[in-house]
Amino acid sequence: MPDSQPQQPHSSSSSSSSGSSGSSGRSDGSDLLLCGARLTDGRTVDVRLGGGRIEAVGTAGSLTAHSARVDLAGYLLLPAPAEPHAHGDTALSADGDGPVSYEAQEVQRRTTEAALLQLGHGATALRSHVRVGDVQGLGSMAAVLQARRALRGLAELTVVAMPRVLTGLAGADGLAILRDAVKMGASVVGGCPDLDPDPTGYVEAVLEVASEHGCPVDLHTDGDDPARLARLAAMAGGLRPGVTLGPCGGLGRLPSEVASRAADQLAAAGVGVVCLPQGGCSGVDRRGTAPVRLLRAAGVRVAAGSGALRDVSNPVGRGDPLEAAYLLASRYGLRAGDAYDAVSSSARAALGLPEVRVEAGFPAELLAVRGDRLDAALSLAYSRIVVHRGRVVARTSAVREYCNSAVTVALDLPRQGRTGRAEEPS
């Protein structure tokens, strides 16, 4: 995999007055023209961005801009992915010696670095689950909220408060901390009912707090208990802004008729599911991916997240939405378009964000991937250009070269060195 970091785009000004703002494509009144991009329907177009939105889409060469231009010849232009299930407070902690540090500065650093890595992959919006209570208290929450402020303008980070226990005598403290976390700035309430002695009581407490504050709910559950899922669906039905469950890998271990009945109940209640095809997360001990085709057939909104990003739950987690889509297509049989929808449109819907299409009037949240077809992009999506609020915020470039040989010459493949000879290692 190539290294990546946020960079200014390689762009050229279309007018002498564009100034330094042209290369960054700022949305402060200037516009940005994406030239020669291919869409999934096969068209090659120019796309003009302004004020954080898509202003116009026209045939390649038909649009003009007064500031910056970015050449997207050879790129496929897509709605940007979103990350509906991250753990910023524990991300990038697998390589450390000893126990994971929850010092505020360290949590903020890990959260920020993880968000930038995922931004480089294309995710312009992220939802991070953060444990509150126990040893951490509200320290990790405060650190993640500080990271959110530092990331403003690069990516949108929302935070889920995850208390451990909410019932019984021990639950009183957890409930108080959950309410304090919402007052601090957590915009979603969640947690792991499977870990509470009274899972139903836990869900009731979370739903009560969510109703008090008008917050969405995002709960961790393995989903292997159909009776518990039925009760949860009955309690959550009709709650607004909505309820999301994940990763629900246990649904895939249930008999098909039982899983189908549970899927119907979730669909009727309007409960969404976020699966984790790249691996598990710290919120649920057991692994496995939810039966995405069964859930989709029942009418459940299914999104895909990354889960653990190089922490003890998954030391090799990549946090790459396109890898999640690749796995949904290659391992679970979804068509490329449906697989990408799970990490883009459905993921944004799970986060309560507006829809994105490459059409005039929609938010300028876009991802350009080297390639001309979506299935090929999911297979080898190394070179990427990420647009957030109408400006390029990250760029990853990959170059593949081959040494000189009859085969590479015949196929016109790129070669190492400017003289056509393979260079000796230094």
Side-chain angles (χ1 to χ4, degrees), residues 88-246:
D89 55 340
T90 59
L92 307 174
S93 61
D95 297 335
D97 297 326
V100 176
S101 170
Y102 288 99
E103 292 292 329
Q105 186 174 2
E106 180 64 13
V107 172
Q108 182 181 343
R109 182 196 66 79
R110 289 199 304 259
T111 301
T112 304
E113 184 178 350
L116 289 176
L117 283 171
Q118 295 185 274
L119 175 65
H121 291 317
T124 62
L126 307 95
R127 175 179 283 184
S128 184
H129 297 254
V130 181
R131 291 188 176 183
V132 297
D134 297 333
V135 176
Q136 294 97 321
L138 290 170
S140 292
M141 174 64 62
V144 174
L145 290 172
Q146 184 61 36
R148 181 182 70 179
R149 289 187 284 271
L151 289 162
R152 192 165 292 149
L154 290 172
E156 301 295 330
L157 177 65
T158 58
V159 184
V160 186
M162 290 179 55
R164 184 171 180 83
V165 178
L166 290 180
T167 65
L169 293 176
D173 288 341
L175 197 55
I177 286 178
L178 178 59
R179 287 192 166 96
D180 287 343
V182 174
K183 293 175 183 177
M184 283 180 63
S187 54
V188 187
V189 293
C192 309
D194 296 1
L195 302 180
D196 193 283
D198 179 6
T200 300
Y202 188 105
V203 173
E204 289 175 343
V206 166
L207 294 177
E208 180 181 350
V209 174
S211 180
E212 290 173 3
H213 296 274
C215 294
V217 172
D218 197 331
L219 293 167
H220 285 61
T221 181
D222 187 52
D224 61 350
D225 186 333
R228 188 182 301 168
L229 277 178
R231 288 193 296 271
L232 195 157
M235 289 187 290
L239 183 72
R240 295 293 178 265
V243 177
T244 301
L245 303 180

Side-chain angles (χ1 to χ4, degrees), residues 25-52:
R26 288 198 300 258
S27 59
D28 54 357
S30 62
D31 57 3
L32 177 67
L33 186 64
L34 308 178
C35 304
R38 182 178 288 270
L39 303 184
T40 55
D41 61 10
R43 290 181 296 150
T44 301
V45 299
D46 290 347
V47 180
R48 188 170 64 231
L49 313 178

Side-chain angles (χ1 to χ4, degrees), residues 17 26 66 69 74 76 97 107 135 139 141 147 206 281 284 306 315 320 323 332 341 350 367 418 423:
S17 63
R26 288 198 300 258
H66 299 293
R69 300 165 61 92
L76 186 69
D97 297 326
V107 172
V135 176
M141 174 64 62
V206 166
C281 68
V284 176
S306 298
D320 185 351
E323 184 185 43
Y332 299 101
D341 175 90
L367 171 64
R418 297 184 180 179
E423 297 177 347

Side-chain angles (χ1 to χ4, degrees), residues 309-372:
L309 197 168
R310 284 164 46 197
D311 66 16
V312 294
S313 300
N314 186 1
V316 296
R318 291 183 181 175
D320 185 351
L322 267 64
E323 184 185 43
Y326 156 79
L327 290 170
L328 289 178
S330 66
R331 186 173 181 182
Y332 299 101
L334 266 62
R335 295 178 300 176
D338 293 334
Y340 189 73
D341 175 90
V343 301
S344 56
S345 295
S346 291
R348 288 183 62 85
L351 301 185
L353 297 172
E355 182 183 10
V356 172
R357 298 181 191 171
V358 189
E359 298 177 12
F362 284 87
E365 303 290 322
L366 301 168
L367 171 64
V369 182
R370 177 71 71 178
D372 58 1

